[in-house]
Amino acid sequence: MAAPAPVSTDVLVIGWGLSGLVAATEAAAAGRSVVLVDQESRVNLGGQAWWSFGGLFLVDSPEQRRMGIRDSAALAEQDWFATAGFDRAEDAWPRRWAEAYLHFAHGEKRAWLRAKGVRFFPVVGWAERGGYTATGPGNSVPRFHIVWGTGPGVVAPFQAAVDEGEGLGHITILPRHRVRALTMQDGVVVGAEGEVLAADDAVRGAAGTQEVVGDFRIHAGATIVTSGGIGGNHDLVRARWPERLGAPPERMLTGVPAYVDGAMLGTAERAGARLVNGDRMWHYVEGIRNHSPVWADHGIRILPGPSSLWLDATGRRLPVPLFPGFDTLGTLAHLRATGHDHSWFVLSSRIVEKEFTLSGSEQNPDLTGKDLPLLVRSRLGKGAAGPVQAFLDRGADFVVRNDLDALIDGMRVLPGGDLLDGTQVRAEVEARDREVANDFTKDAQIAMLRSSRAYRGDRLVRTAAPHRILDPAAGPLIAVKLHVLTRKSLGGIETDLQGRALGHDGAPVAGLYAAGEASGFGGGGMHGYRALEGTFLGGCLFSGRIAGRAAAAAL
């Protein structure tokens, strides 16, 4: 087969997730020609962002102020750096990116998005609540702004801009193009080469054919890697799993499609880019098996309110402050120390109908479809929301029973349920229920629950009124088996504040840029060890914007 003629462009963007779309549109807006390539079919445009719940981290926003939340740049910086825990030489650029991102989140981020038509749900969510001291990890105040339209609503303006650029001839989109190498000339990255994969009609997120039907070469003045992280590659997740989180699980669910395989990270490294902080990662502990999977081991995350009783695999309650929604990685580390791959929520139907939200655009048709009547019925009406009810009816990890003995028996039937000590489960539930009888309590979770309801957003749509789990009027009882769910890489290609990839000598790799998860959302890890939530999509927006503008300006 004759070698194909190379395509030439000013800017090559590898990966069409959110950061890639932003980078492409910014470079095109600056008057540069852009080629956008991805190994998947075009139905996957938008990447992981399309599947997301659409939460964005903003600081001192109008939405916060309307909800009575007093936020500030100083408080956000205190929370971010306490959560990140930067402590390495490799954190020099991540620190700078964190500072720049906080300025963006407090400044023009909201106005920039609103100018593109992005709007926000008026109730601000409170994720990663921490539960430690003022200088410990976590959000001191609610900052999780849900986009009206969820993930697709975030993607939409940038996808529209890419489509428009394509129509005008400014942007060329090449699906099913898998990059195998970055091409070099005199030490400068001058484009990429790889394989053309056969077209297929797989639905969004599903694995497509890997049949190779040709080769390609693209020559570019600047190349931007926006290929995502490693969450779909369990072997790579386990290889990078840090000792501080215990042993990696033998079995995990997958929270991202299989194409999130980390392959481009190695490709960039071979071209001279430095990878840093690869042991920092973000995986959830509230994963449930999808009753209608799209990809292998497809898991969905429960976004829990603060009321569910959290038990380890043996039935012992998790320690303070590892309550639902408080400290993702702290909970992960604790559960890995138990030696078991799963844990349990025990709760009432009253809690489920008020507090259970499932992560993902497809699990929130009211917000995703911008359907206000459906939103009122599902969020404020009686009973569980439709997607949650589907898991209660069909989910393999859900047990619904009318009394505690029957619930424990049902839990024990599930794989790993034989580890449960039924006497311990009953003791934990009954002890917790006794504490609800008074306004006074020594139970920190109940105290935090009551504190949460002082925020009217929680009281309105997120937190059930305190009650006994065993109250018959609040039943039936529900148990949920929870799994580790892979999601995000917090490390990646080291970049400077122009998005330029840096080499091992600290100097930029000429012609090479990186953005999004591939760059640890900026600098090779601007979140440090932990994230504050709502910062992943925002990191893609911010780093994609910087890299696209800088690459265009450099030509």
Side-chain angles (χ1 to χ4, degrees):
M1 180 184 299
V7 174
S8 292
T9 187
D10 292 330
V11 178
L12 168 64
V13 180
I14 302 171
W16 60 29
L18 181 59
S19 60
L21 295 182
V22 174
T25 57
E26 291 290 339
R32 302 303 182 185
S33 62
V34 178
V35 170
L36 180 60
V37 303
D38 197 281
Q39 66 182 354
E40 298 303 310
S41 57
R42 186 152 178 162
V43 71
N44 290 283
L45 203 73
Q48 296 178 65
W50 187 92
W51 294 96
S52 78
F53 190 47
L56 289 173
F57 177 95
L58 296 173
V59 179
D60 192 25
S61 69
E63 289 77 16
Q64 286 175 300
R65 293 194 291 272
R66 281 194 290 268
M67 296 301 297
I69 301 163
R70 296 181 180 179
D71 201 3
S72 68
L75 184 60
E77 181 176 322
Q78 173 178 298
D79 288 347
W80 188 289
F81 280 86
T83 301
F86 295 125
D87 62 359
R88 300 173 175 175
E90 294 86 353
D91 287 331
W93 284 109
R95 282 178 180 271
R96 297 181 195 180
W97 271 88
E99 291 167 351
Y101 179 70
L102 284 166
H103 181 76
F104 178 62
H106 183 240
E108 65 176 309
K109 179 180 179 181
R110 181 180 181 276
W112 178 64
L113 289 170
R114 282 184 62 83
K116 296 179 181 298
V118 175
R119 296 295 182 267
F120 296 98
F121 184 59
V123 178
V124 183
W126 196 357
E128 288 297 295
R129 304 183 185 210
Y132 301 92
T133 66
T135 56
N139 281 300
S140 298
V141 298
R143 297 191 177 105
F144 192 79
H145 295 66
I146 301 167
V147 169
W148 191 230
T150 66
V154 181
V155 170
F158 302 100
Q159 181 172 346
V162 164
D163 290 343
E164 180 182 8
E166 184 181 33
L168 294 172
H170 302 156
I171 298 176
T172 300
I173 301 176
L174 299 177
R176 305 296 285 158
H177 280 57
R178 180 166 61 197
V179 172
R180 287 301 195 191
L182 297 174
T183 51
M184 308 287 294
Q185 183 175 320
D186 298 326
V188 178
V189 174
V190 294
E193 59 187 52
E195 304 162 337
V196 180
L197 303 179
D200 67 34
D201 57 0
V203 299
R204 180 187 287 272
T209 176
Q210 300 301 297
E211 178 188 358
V212 176
V213 296
D215 300 314
F216 72 88
R217 289 183 293 154
I218 300 173
H219 185 275
T223 300
I224 308 175
V225 176
T226 59
S227 54
I230 66 172
N233 185 338
H234 285 200
D235 289 339
L236 195 51
V237 168
R238 290 190 176 95
R240 296 186 176 183
W241 192 278
E243 290 185 8
R244 65 181 176 276
L245 293 180
E250 293 183 12
R251 172 163 173 75
M252 297 179 283
L253 299 180
T254 309
V256 295
Y259 58 72
V260 188
D261 58 12
M264 271 304 302
L265 295 175
T267 301
E269 187 176 35
R270 288 190 290 275
R274 183 188 185 205
L275 304 183
V276 296
N277 299 317
D279 64 320
R280 293 178 181 169
M281 52 186 66
W282 189 260
H283 307 303
Y284 292 110
V285 280
E286 311 100 335
I288 52 175
R289 289 172 286 177
N290 194 347
H291 57 72
S292 302
V294 178
W295 53 80
D297 295 317
H298 186 175
I300 300 293
R301 185 204 174 196
I302 296 171
L303 298 172
S307 299
S308 297
L309 195 66
W310 204 334
L311 309 176
D312 68 18
T314 69
R316 189 171 299 277
R317 193 172 175 187
L318 271 59
V320 176
L322 305 183
F323 313 131
F326 278 68
D327 180 2
T328 294
L329 287 199
T331 306
L332 175 60
H334 173 80
L335 290 173
R336 296 310 309 139
T338 69
H340 305 298
D341 290 350
H342 68 277
S343 60
W344 298 92
F345 279 165
V346 173
L347 61 155
S348 68
S349 293
R350 189 179 295 170
I351 294 172
V352 133
E353 69 182 39
K354 187 79 168 183
E355 297 192 6
F356 264 37
T357 298
L358 302 174
S359 182
S361 57
E362 79 283 19
Q363 301 296 333
N364 294 277
D366 51 352
L367 292 164
T368 302
K370 303 180 182 181
D371 188 332
L372 188 57
L374 178 60
L375 185 144
V376 171
R377 292 196 304 272
S378 62
R379 309 284 166 169
L380 300 178
K382 187 69 175 175
V388 175
Q389 188 61 53
F391 274 91
L392 290 171
D393 295 338
R394 302 166 55 195
D397 294 313
F398 284 73
V399 181
V400 182
R401 298 290 189 273
N402 288 321
D403 65 78
L404 186 56
D405 287 335
L407 187 77
I408 293 170
D409 288 344
M411 295 165 72
R412 290 179 62 84
V413 169
L414 296 185
D418 58 305
L419 297 170
L420 273 175
D421 180 339
T423 301
Q424 181 69 36
V425 174
R426 174 172 287 280
E428 297 284 13
V429 174
E430 290 180 344
R432 179 261 182 211
D433 276 5
R434 291 186 193 103
E435 294 287 325
V436 180
N438 297 287
D439 291 336
F440 315 102
T441 183
K442 67 179 181 183
D443 190 306
Q445 183 176 3
I446 294 173
M448 288 296 292
L449 170 60
R450 290 173 176 156
S451 174
S452 296
R453 286 177 60 82
Y455 167 49
R456 67 175 180 269
D458 268 359
R459 189 169 65 253
L460 180 65
V461 298
R462 200 70 181 101
T463 305
H467 62 277
R468 292 187 302 113
I469 289 176
L470 297 180
D471 182 351
L477 298 172
I478 298 166
V480 188
K481 183 181 176 184
L482 306 171
H483 309 262
V484 175
L485 177 73
T486 65
R487 187 77 94 199
K488 294 295 182 185
S489 313
L490 298 186
I493 299 168
E494 188 175 36
T495 59
D496 65 13
L497 284 176
Q498 297 179 61
R500 298 181 297 182
L502 302 177
H504 286 272
D505 60 357
V509 178
L512 185 61
Y513 298 75
E517 193 176 351
S519 68
F521 303 92
M526 73 173 188
H527 298 93
Y529 288 94
R530 283 181 166 99
L532 285 175
E533 291 285 18
T535 58
F536 298 142
L537 290 180
C540 288
L541 293 167
F542 185 54
S543 59
R545 190 174 89 145
I546 285 176
R549 291 179 178 184
L555 300 178

